[in-house]
Structures are given as structure tokens and as C-alpha cells.
Coordinates of all heavy atoms in Angstrom, one line a residue:
M1 N 97.8 162.0 70.9 CA 96.6 161.2 71.3 C 96.3 161.5 72.8 O 97.2 161.6 73.6 CB 97.0 159.8 71.1 CG 95.8 158.9 71.3 SD 96.1 157.1 71.4 CE 96.2 156.7 69.7
S2 N 95.1 161.7 73.1 CA 94.7 162.0 74.5 C 94.2 160.8 75.2 O 93.7 159.8 74.6 CB 93.6 163.1 74.5 OG 92.5 162.6 73.9
N3 N 94.2 160.9 76.5 CA 93.7 159.8 77.4 C 92.3 160.2 77.9 O 92.1 161.2 78.6 CB 94.6 159.7 78.6 CG 94.2 158.6 79.5 OD1 93.1 158.2 79.5 ND2 95.1 158.1 80.4
D4 N 91.3 159.5 77.4 CA 89.9 159.8 77.7 C 89.6 159.9 79.2 O 88.8 160.7 79.7 CB 88.9 158.9 77.1 CG 88.9 159.1 75.6 OD1 89.3 160.1 75.1 OD2 88.5 158.1 74.9
N5 N 90.2 159.0 80.0 CA 90.0 159.0 81.5 C 90.5 160.3 82.1 O 89.8 160.9 82.9 CB 90.7 157.8 82.1 CG 90.1 156.5 81.7 OD1 88.9 156.5 81.3 ND2 90.9 155.4 81.8
T6 N 91.7 160.8 81.7 CA 92.2 162.0 82.2 C 91.3 163.2 81.8 O 91.0 164.0 82.6 CB 93.6 162.3 81.7 OG1 94.4 161.1 82.0 CG2 94.2 163.5 82.3
E7 N 90.9 163.2 80.6 CA 90.0 164.3 80.1 C 88.7 164.3 80.9 O 88.2 165.4 81.3 CB 89.7 164.2 78.7 CG 90.8 164.6 77.8 CD 90.5 164.4 76.3 OE1 89.3 164.1 76.0 OE2 91.4 164.6 75.5
G8 N 88.1 163.2 81.2 CA 86.9 163.1 82.0 C 87.1 163.7 83.4 O 86.2 164.4 83.8
I9 N 88.2 163.5 84.0 CA 88.4 164.1 85.3 C 88.7 165.6 85.2 O 88.2 166.3 85.9 CB 89.6 163.3 86.0 CG1 89.2 161.9 86.3 CG2 90.0 164.1 87.2 CD1 90.3 161.0 86.8
E10 N 89.5 166.0 84.2 CA 89.8 167.4 84.0 C 88.6 168.2 83.7 O 88.5 169.4 84.1 CB 90.9 167.5 83.0 CG 92.3 167.0 83.5 CD 93.3 167.1 82.4 OE1 93.0 167.4 81.2 OE2 94.4 166.7 82.7
N11 N 87.7 167.7 82.9 CA 86.5 168.5 82.5 C 85.4 168.5 83.5 O 84.3 169.0 83.2 CB 86.1 168.2 81.1 CG 85.4 166.8 81.0 OD1 85.0 166.2 82.0 ND2 85.2 166.3 79.8
G12 N 85.6 167.9 84.6 CA 84.6 167.9 85.7 C 83.6 166.8 85.6 O 82.6 166.9 86.3
S13 N 83.7 165.8 84.8 CA 82.7 164.8 84.7 C 82.9 163.6 85.6 O 82.3 162.6 85.5 CB 82.7 164.2 83.2 OG 83.9 163.6 82.9
N14 N 83.9 163.8 86.6 CA 84.1 162.7 87.6 C 82.9 162.6 88.5 O 82.1 163.5 88.6 CB 85.4 162.9 88.3 CG 85.4 164.3 89.0 OD1 84.8 165.2 88.6 ND2 86.2 164.4 90.0
A15 N 82.7 161.4 89.1 CA 81.5 161.1 89.9 C 81.3 162.0 91.1 O 80.2 162.3 91.5 CB 81.5 159.7 90.3
I16 N 82.4 162.4 91.8 CA 82.4 163.2 93.0 C 82.7 164.6 92.6 O 83.8 164.9 92.3 CB 83.3 162.6 94.1 CG1 82.9 161.2 94.4 CG2 83.2 163.5 95.3 CD1 83.8 160.5 95.3
E17 N 81.8 165.5 92.7 CA 82.0 166.9 92.4 C 82.4 167.6 93.7 O 81.8 167.4 94.8 CB 80.8 167.5 91.8 CG 80.3 166.9 90.5 CD 79.1 167.4 90.0 OE1 78.5 168.4 90.6 OE2 78.6 166.9 89.0
T18 N 83.3 168.5 93.6 CA 83.7 169.3 94.7 C 83.6 170.8 94.3 O 83.9 171.1 93.1 CB 85.2 169.0 95.2 OG1 86.0 169.2 94.1 CG2 85.3 167.6 95.8
P19 N 83.3 171.7 95.2 CA 83.1 173.1 94.8 C 84.4 173.8 94.4 O 84.4 174.8 93.7 CB 82.5 173.7 96.0 CG 82.8 172.8 97.1 CD 82.9 171.4 96.5
S20 N 85.5 173.2 94.8 CA 86.8 173.8 94.5 C 87.9 172.8 94.5 O 87.7 171.7 95.0 CB 87.2 174.9 95.5 OG 87.5 174.3 96.8
K21 N 89.0 173.1 93.9 CA 90.2 172.2 93.9 C 91.0 172.3 95.2 O 91.9 171.5 95.4 CB 91.1 172.5 92.7 CG 90.4 172.4 91.4 CD 90.2 171.0 91.0 CE 89.6 170.9 89.6 NZ 89.2 169.5 89.3
S22 N 90.6 173.1 96.1 CA 91.3 173.3 97.3 C 91.1 172.1 98.3 O 90.1 171.5 98.3 CB 90.8 174.6 98.0 OG 91.3 174.7 99.3
S23 N 92.1 171.9 99.1 CA 92.0 170.8 100.1 C 91.4 171.3 101.4 O 91.2 170.6 102.3 CB 93.4 170.2 100.4 OG 94.2 171.2 100.9
E24 N 91.0 172.6 101.4 CA 90.4 173.2 102.5 C 89.0 172.6 102.7 O 88.2 172.6 101.7 CB 90.3 174.7 102.4 CG 91.6 175.4 102.5 CD 92.3 175.2 103.8 OE1 91.7 175.4 104.9 OE2 93.5 174.9 103.8
P25 N 88.5 172.2 103.9 CA 87.2 171.7 104.0 C 86.2 172.9 103.8 O 86.4 174.0 104.1 CB 87.1 171.2 105.5 CG 88.3 171.9 106.2 CD 89.3 172.2 105.1
V26 N 85.0 172.5 103.3 CA 83.9 173.5 103.1 C 83.2 173.6 104.4 O 82.8 172.7 105.0 CB 83.0 172.9 102.0 CG1 81.8 173.9 101.8 CG2 83.7 172.8 100.7
V27 N 83.0 174.9 104.8 CA 82.3 175.2 106.1 C 80.8 175.2 105.8 O 80.4 176.0 104.9 CB 82.8 176.5 106.7 CG1 82.0 176.8 108.0 CG2 84.3 176.4 107.0
V28 N 80.0 174.4 106.5 CA 78.6 174.3 106.2 C 77.8 174.7 107.5 O 78.2 174.3 108.6 CB 78.2 172.8 105.8 CG1 76.8 172.7 105.6 CG2 79.0 172.4 104.6
D29 N 76.8 175.5 107.3 CA 76.0 176.0 108.4 C 74.9 174.9 108.7 O 74.0 174.7 107.9 CB 75.3 177.3 108.0 CG 74.5 177.8 109.2 OD1 74.6 177.4 110.3 OD2 73.6 178.7 108.9
L30 N 75.0 174.3 109.8 CA 74.1 173.2 110.2 C 73.1 173.7 111.3 O 72.5 172.9 112.0 CB 74.8 172.0 110.7 CG 75.8 171.3 109.7 CD1 76.5 170.1 110.4 CD2 75.0 170.8 108.5
S31 N 73.0 175.0 111.4 CA 72.2 175.6 112.5 C 70.7 175.7 112.2 O 69.9 176.1 113.1 CB 72.8 176.9 113.0 OG 72.7 177.9 111.9
K32 N 70.3 175.5 110.9 CA 68.9 175.7 110.5 C 68.1 174.6 111.3 O 68.5 173.5 111.5 CB 68.8 175.4 109.0 CG 67.6 175.7 108.4 CD 67.8 175.6 106.8 CE 66.5 175.3 106.1 NZ 66.7 175.1 104.7
P33 N 66.9 175.0 111.9 CA 66.1 174.1 112.7 C 65.8 172.8 112.1 O 65.9 171.8 112.8 CB 64.9 174.9 113.0 CG 65.3 176.4 112.8 CD 66.3 176.4 111.8
S34 N 65.5 172.8 110.8 CA 65.2 171.5 110.2 C 66.4 170.6 110.1 O 66.3 169.3 110.3 CB 64.6 171.7 108.8 OG 65.5 172.3 107.9
I35 N 67.6 171.2 109.9 CA 68.8 170.4 109.9 C 69.2 169.9 111.2 O 69.6 168.7 111.4 CB 69.9 171.2 109.2 CG1 69.6 171.5 107.8 CG2 71.3 170.5 109.3 CD1 70.5 172.6 107.1
R36 N 69.0 170.7 112.3 CA 69.3 170.3 113.6 C 68.4 169.2 114.0 O 68.8 168.2 114.7 CB 69.1 171.5 114.6 CG 70.1 172.6 114.5 CD 71.6 172.3 114.6 NE 71.9 171.4 115.6 CZ 73.1 170.7 115.6 NH1 73.9 170.8 114.7 NH2 73.3 169.8 116.6
A37 N 67.1 169.3 113.6 CA 66.1 168.2 114.0 C 66.5 166.9 113.3 O 66.4 165.8 113.9 CB 64.7 168.6 113.5
A38 N 67.0 167.0 112.1 CA 67.4 165.8 111.4 C 68.7 165.1 112.0 O 68.7 163.9 112.2 CB 67.7 166.1 109.9
I39 N 69.6 166.0 112.5 CA 70.8 165.5 113.2 C 70.4 164.8 114.5 O 70.9 163.7 114.8 CB 71.8 166.6 113.4 CG1 72.4 167.1 112.1 CG2 72.9 166.2 114.4 CD1 73.2 168.4 112.2
E40 N 69.5 165.4 115.2 CA 69.0 164.8 116.4 C 68.3 163.5 116.2 O 68.4 162.6 117.0 CB 68.1 165.8 117.2 CG 68.9 167.0 117.7 CD 70.1 166.6 118.6 OE1 70.0 165.7 119.4 OE2 71.1 167.3 118.4
Q41 N 67.6 163.4 115.1 CA 66.9 162.2 114.7 C 67.9 161.1 114.4 O 67.7 160.0 114.9 CB 66.0 162.5 113.5 CG 65.1 161.3 113.1 CD 64.2 161.7 111.9 OE1 64.3 162.8 111.3 NE2 63.5 160.7 111.4
G42 N 69.0 161.4 113.7 CA 70.0 160.5 113.5 C 70.7 160.0 114.8 O 70.9 158.8 114.9
K43 N 70.9 160.9 115.7 CA 71.5 160.5 117.0 C 70.6 159.6 117.8 O 71.1 158.7 118.4 CB 71.9 161.8 117.8 CG 73.1 162.6 117.2 CD 73.3 163.8 118.1 CE 74.5 164.6 117.5 NZ 74.8 165.8 118.3
A44 N 69.3 159.9 117.7 CA 68.3 159.0 118.4 C 68.3 157.6 117.8 O 68.2 156.6 118.5 CB 66.9 159.7 118.3
V45 N 68.4 157.5 116.5 CA 68.5 156.2 115.8 C 69.7 155.4 116.3 O 69.6 154.2 116.7 CB 68.5 156.3 114.3 CG1 68.8 155.0 113.6 CG2 67.1 156.9 113.8
L46 N 70.9 156.1 116.4 CA 72.1 155.4 116.9 C 71.9 155.0 118.4 O 72.3 154.0 118.8 CB 73.3 156.4 116.8 CG 73.8 156.6 115.4 CD1 75.0 157.6 115.4 CD2 74.3 155.3 114.8
A47 N 71.2 155.9 119.2 CA 71.0 155.6 120.6 C 70.1 154.4 120.8 O 70.2 153.7 121.8 CB 70.4 156.8 121.3
E48 N 69.3 154.1 119.8 CA 68.4 152.9 119.9 C 69.2 151.7 119.6 O 68.6 150.6 119.6 CB 67.3 153.0 118.9 CG 66.2 154.1 119.2 CD 65.2 154.3 118.0 OE1 65.2 153.5 117.1 OE2 64.5 155.3 118.1
G49 N 70.4 151.8 119.2 CA 71.3 150.6 118.9 C 71.2 150.2 117.4 O 71.7 149.2 117.0
K50 N 70.6 151.1 116.6 CA 70.6 150.8 115.1 C 71.9 151.2 114.5 O 72.8 151.8 115.1 CB 69.4 151.5 114.5 CG 68.1 150.9 115.0 CD 66.9 151.5 114.3 CE 65.6 150.9 114.9 NZ 64.4 151.5 114.2
T51 N 72.0 150.9 113.2 CA 73.3 151.2 112.5 C 73.5 152.6 112.0 O 72.5 153.4 112.0 CB 73.4 150.3 111.3 OG1 72.4 150.6 110.3 CG2 73.2 148.8 111.6
K52 N 74.7 152.9 111.7 CA 75.0 154.2 111.1 C 74.2 154.4 109.8 O 73.8 155.5 109.5 CB 76.5 154.4 110.8 CG 77.3 154.5 112.1 CD 78.8 154.6 111.8 CE 79.6 154.7 113.0 NZ 81.0 154.9 112.7
A53 N 74.0 153.4 109.0 CA 73.3 153.4 107.8 C 71.8 153.8 108.1 O 71.2 154.6 107.4 CB 73.3 152.1 107.0
D54 N 71.2 153.2 109.1 CA 69.9 153.6 109.5 C 69.8 155.0 109.9 O 68.8 155.7 109.5 CB 69.4 152.7 110.7 CG 69.2 151.2 110.4 OD1 68.9 150.9 109.2 OD2 69.4 150.4 111.3
A55 N 70.8 155.5 110.6 CA 70.8 156.9 111.1 C 70.9 157.8 109.8 O 70.2 158.8 109.7 CB 72.0 157.2 112.0
A56 N 71.8 157.5 108.9 CA 72.0 158.3 107.7 C 70.7 158.3 106.9 O 70.3 159.4 106.3 CB 73.1 157.7 106.8
R57 N 70.0 157.2 106.7 CA 68.7 157.1 106.0 C 67.7 158.0 106.7 O 66.9 158.7 106.0 CB 68.2 155.7 105.8 CG 69.0 154.9 104.8 CD 68.3 153.6 104.5 NE 68.4 152.7 105.6 CZ 69.4 151.8 105.7 NH1 70.4 151.8 104.8 NH2 69.5 151.0 106.7
A58 N 67.6 158.0 108.0 CA 66.7 158.9 108.7 C 67.0 160.4 108.5 O 66.1 161.2 108.2 CB 66.7 158.6 110.2
I59 N 68.3 160.7 108.5 CA 68.7 162.1 108.3 C 68.4 162.5 106.8 O 67.8 163.6 106.6 CB 70.2 162.3 108.6 CG1 70.5 162.1 110.1 CG2 70.7 163.6 108.1 CD1 71.9 162.0 110.4
F60 N 68.7 161.6 105.9 CA 68.5 161.9 104.5 C 67.0 162.2 104.2 O 66.6 163.1 103.5 CB 69.0 160.8 103.6 CG 68.9 161.2 102.1 CD1 69.9 161.9 101.5 CD2 67.9 160.7 101.3 CE1 69.8 162.3 100.2 CE2 67.8 161.0 100.0 CZ 68.8 161.8 99.4
G61 N 66.2 161.3 104.8 CA 64.7 161.5 104.6 C 64.2 162.8 105.0 O 63.3 163.4 104.5
A62 N 64.8 163.3 106.1 CA 64.3 164.6 106.7 C 64.8 165.8 105.9 O 64.2 166.8 105.9 CB 64.8 164.7 108.1
I63 N 66.0 165.7 105.3 CA 66.6 166.9 104.6 C 67.1 166.6 103.2 O 68.0 167.3 102.7 CB 67.8 167.5 105.5 CG1 68.9 166.5 105.7 CG2 67.3 168.0 106.8 CD1 70.1 167.0 106.3
K64 N 66.4 165.7 102.5 CA 66.9 165.3 101.2 C 66.9 166.4 100.2 O 67.6 166.3 99.2 CB 66.0 164.2 100.7 CG 64.6 164.5 100.4 CD 63.8 163.3 99.9 CE 62.3 163.7 99.9 NZ 61.6 163.1 101.0
D65 N 66.2 167.5 100.4 CA 66.2 168.6 99.4 C 67.3 169.7 99.7 O 67.5 170.6 98.9 CB 64.9 169.3 99.4 CG 63.8 168.4 98.9 OD1 64.0 167.6 98.1 OD2 62.6 168.5 99.4
E66 N 68.1 169.4 100.7 CA 69.2 170.3 101.0 C 70.4 170.0 100.1 O 70.5 169.0 99.5 CB 69.7 170.2 102.5 CG 68.6 170.6 103.5 CD 68.4 172.1 103.6 OE1 69.4 172.9 103.2 OE2 67.4 172.5 104.0
P67 N 71.4 171.0 100.0 CA 72.6 170.7 99.2 C 73.4 169.6 99.7 O 73.3 169.2 100.9 CB 73.4 172.0 99.2 CG 72.4 173.1 99.7 CD 71.3 172.3 100.5
K68 N 74.2 169.0 98.8 CA 75.0 167.8 99.2 C 75.9 168.1 100.4 O 75.9 167.3 101.3 CB 75.9 167.4 98.0 CG 76.9 166.3 98.3 CD 77.8 166.0 97.1 CE 78.8 167.1 96.9 NZ 79.7 166.7 95.8
E69 N 76.5 169.2 100.4 CA 77.5 169.6 101.5 C 76.8 169.6 102.9 O 77.3 169.2 103.9 CB 78.2 170.9 101.2 CG 79.1 170.9 100.1 CD 78.4 171.0 98.7 OE1 77.2 171.3 98.7 OE2 79.1 170.8 97.7
V70 N 75.5 170.1 102.9 CA 74.7 170.2 104.1 C 74.4 168.7 104.6 O 74.5 168.4 105.8 CB 73.5 171.0 103.9 CG1 72.6 170.9 105.1 CG2 73.8 172.4 103.6
I71 N 73.9 167.9 103.7 CA 73.6 166.5 104.0 C 74.8 165.8 104.5 O 74.7 165.1 105.6 CB 72.9 165.8 102.9 CG1 71.6 166.5 102.5 CG2 72.6 164.3 103.2 CD1 70.9 166.0 101.2
V72 N 75.9 165.9 103.8 CA 77.1 165.2 104.3 C 77.5 165.7 105.6 O 77.9 164.9 106.5 CB 78.3 165.4 103.2 CG1 79.6 165.0 103.7 CG2 77.9 164.7 101.9
G73 N 77.5 167.0 105.9 CA 77.8 167.5 107.2 C 76.9 167.0 108.3 O 77.3 166.7 109.4
A74 N 75.6 166.9 108.0 CA 74.6 166.3 108.9 C 74.9 164.8 109.2 O 74.8 164.4 110.3 CB 73.2 166.5 108.4
F75 N 75.4 164.1 108.2 CA 75.7 162.7 108.4 C 76.9 162.6 109.3 O 77.0 161.7 110.2 CB 76.1 162.0 107.0 CG 74.9 161.7 106.2 CD1 75.2 161.1 104.9 CD2 73.6 161.9 106.5 CE1 74.1 160.7 104.1 CE2 72.6 161.5 105.7 CZ 72.8 160.9 104.5
V76 N 77.9 163.5 109.1 CA 79.1 163.4 110.0 C 78.7 163.6 111.4 O 79.1 162.9 112.3 CB 80.1 164.5 109.5 CG1 81.2 164.6 110.6 CG2 80.7 164.1 108.2
E77 N 77.9 164.6 111.7 CA 77.5 165.0 113.0 C 76.4 164.0 113.6 O 76.5 163.6 114.8 CB 77.0 166.4 113.1 CG 76.8 166.9 114.5 CD 76.4 168.4 114.6 OE1 76.8 169.1 113.7 OE2 75.7 168.7 115.6
G78 N 75.4 163.7 112.8 CA 74.3 162.9 113.3 C 74.4 161.4 113.2 O 73.7 160.7 113.9
A79 N 75.2 160.9 112.3 CA 75.4 159.5 112.2 C 76.8 159.0 112.5 O 77.1 157.8 112.2 CB 75.0 159.1 110.7
A80 N 77.6 159.9 113.0 CA 79.0 159.5 113.5 C 79.8 158.9 112.3 O 80.5 158.0 112.5 CB 78.9 158.6 114.7
L81 N 79.7 159.6 111.1 CA 80.5 159.1 110.0 C 81.7 160.0 109.7 O 81.7 161.1 110.1 CB 79.6 159.1 108.7 CG 78.4 158.1 108.7 CD1 77.4 158.5 107.6 CD2 78.9 156.7 108.6
T82 N 82.7 159.4 109.0 CA 83.8 160.3 108.6 C 83.3 161.1 107.4 O 82.2 160.8 106.8 CB 85.0 159.4 108.2 OG1 84.6 158.6 107.0 CG2 85.5 158.5 109.3
D83 N 84.1 162.0 106.9 CA 83.7 162.8 105.7 C 83.6 161.9 104.5 O 82.6 162.0 103.8 CB 84.8 163.9 105.5 CG 84.8 165.0 106.5 OD1 83.7 165.2 107.1 OD2 85.8 165.7 106.6
K84 N 84.5 161.0 104.3 CA 84.4 160.1 103.2 C 83.3 159.1 103.3 O 82.6 158.9 102.3 CB 85.8 159.4 103.0 CG 86.9 160.2 102.5 CD 88.1 159.5 102.2 CE 89.2 160.4 101.7 NZ 90.5 159.6 101.4
G85 N 83.1 158.6 104.5 CA 81.9 157.7 104.7 C 80.6 158.4 104.5 O 79.7 157.9 103.9
A86 N 80.5 159.6 104.9 CA 79.3 160.4 104.8 C 79.0 160.7 103.3 O 77.8 160.6 102.9 CB 79.4 161.7 105.6
L87 N 80.0 161.0 102.5 CA 79.8 161.2 101.1 C 79.3 159.9 100.4 O 78.4 160.0 99.6 CB 81.1 161.7 100.5 CG 81.1 162.1 99.0 CD1 80.1 163.3 98.9 CD2 82.4 162.5 98.5
T88 N 79.9 158.8 100.8 CA 79.4 157.5 100.3 C 78.0 157.2 100.6 O 77.2 156.8 99.8 CB 80.3 156.3 100.8 OG1 81.7 156.6 100.4 CG2 79.8 155.0 100.2
Y89 N 77.6 157.5 101.9 CA 76.2 157.3 102.3 C 75.3 158.2 101.6 O 74.2 157.9 101.2 CB 76.1 157.5 103.8 CG 76.5 156.2 104.6 CD1 77.8 155.8 104.7 CD2 75.5 155.5 105.3 CE1 78.1 154.6 105.4 CE2 75.8 154.4 106.1 CZ 77.1 154.0 106.1 OH 77.5 152.9 106.8
W90 N 75.7 159.5 101.4 CA 74.9 160.5 100.6 C 74.6 159.9 99.2 O 73.5 160.0 98.8 CB 75.6 161.8 100.5 CG 75.0 162.8 99.6 CD1 73.9 163.5 99.8 CD2 75.3 163.0 98.2 NE1 73.5 164.2 98.7 CE2 74.4 163.9 97.7 CE3 76.4 162.5 97.4 CZ2 74.5 164.4 96.4 CZ3 76.4 163.0 96.1 CH2 75.5 163.9 95.6
Y91 N 75.7 159.4 98.6 CA 75.5 158.9 97.2 C 74.5 157.7 97.2 O 73.7 157.7 96.4 CB 76.9 158.5 96.7 CG 76.8 157.8 95.3 CD1 76.6 158.6 94.2 CD2 77.0 156.5 95.2 CE1 76.6 158.0 92.9 CE2 76.9 155.9 93.9 CZ 76.7 156.7 92.8 OH 76.7 156.1 91.6
N92 N 74.7 156.8 98.1 CA 73.8 155.7 98.2 C 72.4 156.0 98.5 O 71.4 155.5 97.9 CB 74.3 154.6 99.2 CG 75.6 154.0 98.8 OD1 75.9 153.9 97.6 ND2 76.4 153.5 99.7
C93 N 72.2 157.0 99.4 CA 70.8 157.4 99.8 C 70.2 158.1 98.6 O 69.0 157.9 98.3 CB 70.8 158.4 101.0 SG 71.2 157.6 102.6
R94 N 71.0 158.9 97.9 CA 70.4 159.6 96.7 C 70.0 158.6 95.6 O 69.0 158.8 95.0 CB 71.5 160.6 96.2 CG 71.0 161.5 95.1 CD 72.1 162.3 94.6 NE 73.2 161.5 94.0 CZ 73.9 161.8 93.0 NH1 73.8 163.0 92.4 NH2 74.8 161.0 92.5
R95 N 70.9 157.6 95.4 CA 70.5 156.6 94.4 C 69.3 155.8 94.8 O 68.4 155.6 93.9 CB 71.7 155.6 94.2 CG 72.8 156.1 93.3 CD 73.9 155.1 93.1 NE 73.4 153.7 93.0 CZ 74.1 152.7 93.5 NH1 75.2 152.8 94.1 NH2 73.6 151.5 93.5
K96 N 69.2 155.4 96.0 CA 68.0 154.7 96.5 C 66.7 155.5 96.3 O 65.7 155.1 95.9 CB 68.2 154.3 97.9 CG 67.0 153.4 98.4 CD 67.2 152.9 99.8 CE 66.1 152.1 100.3 NZ 66.2 151.6 101.6
A97 N 66.8 156.8 96.7 CA 65.7 157.7 96.5 C 65.2 157.9 95.1 O 64.1 157.9 94.8 CB 66.0 159.1 97.1
A98 N 66.2 157.9 94.2 CA 65.9 158.1 92.7 C 65.2 156.8 92.2 O 64.3 156.9 91.4 CB 67.2 158.3 92.0
K99 N 65.7 155.6 92.7 CA 65.1 154.4 92.3 C 63.7 154.3 92.8 O 62.8 153.9 92.0 CB 65.9 153.2 92.8 CG 67.2 152.9 92.0 CD 67.8 151.6 92.6 CE 69.1 151.3 91.9 NZ 69.8 150.1 92.4
E100 N 63.4 154.7 94.0 CA 62.1 154.6 94.6 C 61.2 155.6 93.8 O 60.0 155.3 93.6 CB 62.1 154.9 96.1 CG 62.8 153.8 96.9 CD 63.0 154.2 98.3 OE1 62.7 155.3 98.7 OE2 63.4 153.3 99.1
A101 N 61.7 156.8 93.5 CA 60.9 157.7 92.7 C 60.5 157.2 91.4 O 59.4 157.4 90.9 CB 61.6 159.1 92.6
A102 N 61.5 156.6 90.7 CA 61.2 156.0 89.4 C 60.2 154.9 89.5 O 59.3 154.8 88.6 CB 62.5 155.5 88.8
A103 N 60.3 154.0 90.5 CA 59.3 152.9 90.7 C 57.9 153.5 90.9 O 57.0 153.0 90.4 CB 59.8 152.0 91.8
A104 N 57.9 154.5 91.7 CA 56.6 155.2 92.0 C 55.9 155.8 90.8 O 54.7 155.7 90.6 CB 56.7 156.2 93.1
A105 N 56.8 156.4 89.9 CA 56.3 157.0 88.7 C 55.8 155.9 87.7 O 54.8 156.1 87.0 CB 57.4 157.8 88.0
N106 N 56.4 154.7 87.8 CA 56.0 153.7 86.9 C 54.7 153.1 87.3 O 53.9 152.5 86.5 CB 57.0 152.6 86.8 CG 58.3 153.0 86.0 OD1 58.2 153.9 85.2 ND2 59.4 152.4 86.3
L107 N 54.3 153.2 88.6 CA 53.1 152.6 89.1 C 51.9 153.5 88.7 O 50.8 153.1 88.7 CB 53.1 152.5 90.6 CG 54.1 151.4 91.1 CD1 54.1 151.4 92.6 CD2 53.7 150.0 90.6
S108 N 52.1 154.8 88.5 CA 51.0 155.7 88.3 C 50.7 155.9 86.8 O 51.2 155.3 85.9 CB 51.3 157.1 88.9 OG 52.5 157.6 88.5

């Protein structure tokens, strides 16, 4: 008899996907001008005294079409988040954007 929870994790259906099983951090290039601008925008939001969540939302709005690893890296640098915190904020921003897109589609 098999354990469905274990199979779900082993077959890659877990909620957090990683590019490899290695514990080595993924190196992400954040030098693209649009990404640098988003990071600076996040830093500016923090400088205004707003929250890390506000900074992350600003960054996400600017680079939402980039890969997950790039957005998470931008959150770490531009919103002063840890790697795990940045991943959580990425997930939450992505869910909120999907809900807003669905609501907009229902209006039209």
C-alpha cells in the first residue's frame, strides 16, 4: 500500500517547485534594466516608510512576467526579504494577480 502524500511530493506535485533537488542556491541575473528599476522601486517604497509587503507588490507589478526565481531574487534585494519570505510573497502576489484577472474577465 502506498502513501498518497509521499507520492505527491515525489512526483513533483508539491506546491513549491524547485529547479533541482540540490541545496545550492540558484544564481539569478538581476542586472536587466527593467529588473533593476523594479528593485529600486521597491527600495523607494521602503524608504517612504511603507511595509515590505507594499514593496513586494510594487516589484511584482513591474516584473510579473519574469520567472519565479527572478522575482524572488528581486524581492530579496528590493524588499529586504529572506529567501523563504520572498517565496511566500511571490506566491501571495501571484494568487492576488490571478484573482484580479479572473474578476476582470468576469466583468467583460
Side-chain angles (χ1 to χ4, degrees):
M1 188 189 278
S2 66
N3 181 342
D4 290 338
N5 291 338
T6 303
E7 286 179 5
I9 292 171
E10 290 174 357
N11 72 15
S13 65
N14 55 336
I16 300 173
E17 298 175 6
T18 57
S20 70
K21 299 285 182 186
S22 171
S23 62
E24 293 295 316
V26 176
V27 178
V28 179
D29 180 20
L30 300 176
S31 63
K32 194 169 149 183
S34 61
I35 297 168
R36 294 301 322 157
I39 290 169
E40 292 307 316
Q41 187 177 358
K43 289 179 179 180
V45 168
L46 288 177
E48 292 172 8
K50 294 186 179 178
T51 66
K52 291 179 181 183
D54 292 329
R57 283 190 290 270
I59 293 168
F60 186 83
I63 60 172
K64 64 181 174 258
D65 295 327
E66 294 290 337
K68 172 181 76 172
E69 292 80 8
V70 171
I71 296 171
V72 169
F75 284 178
V76 169
E77 189 173 332
L81 295 168
T82 64
D83 290 336
K84 288 183 179 183
L87 188 60
T88 300
Y89 277 67
W90 169 81
Y91 177 74
N92 291 337
C93 287
R94 187 182 64 144
R95 278 186 32 218
K96 183 176 180 180
K99 282 183 182 180
E100 289 172 355
N106 288 337
L107 293 177
S108 55

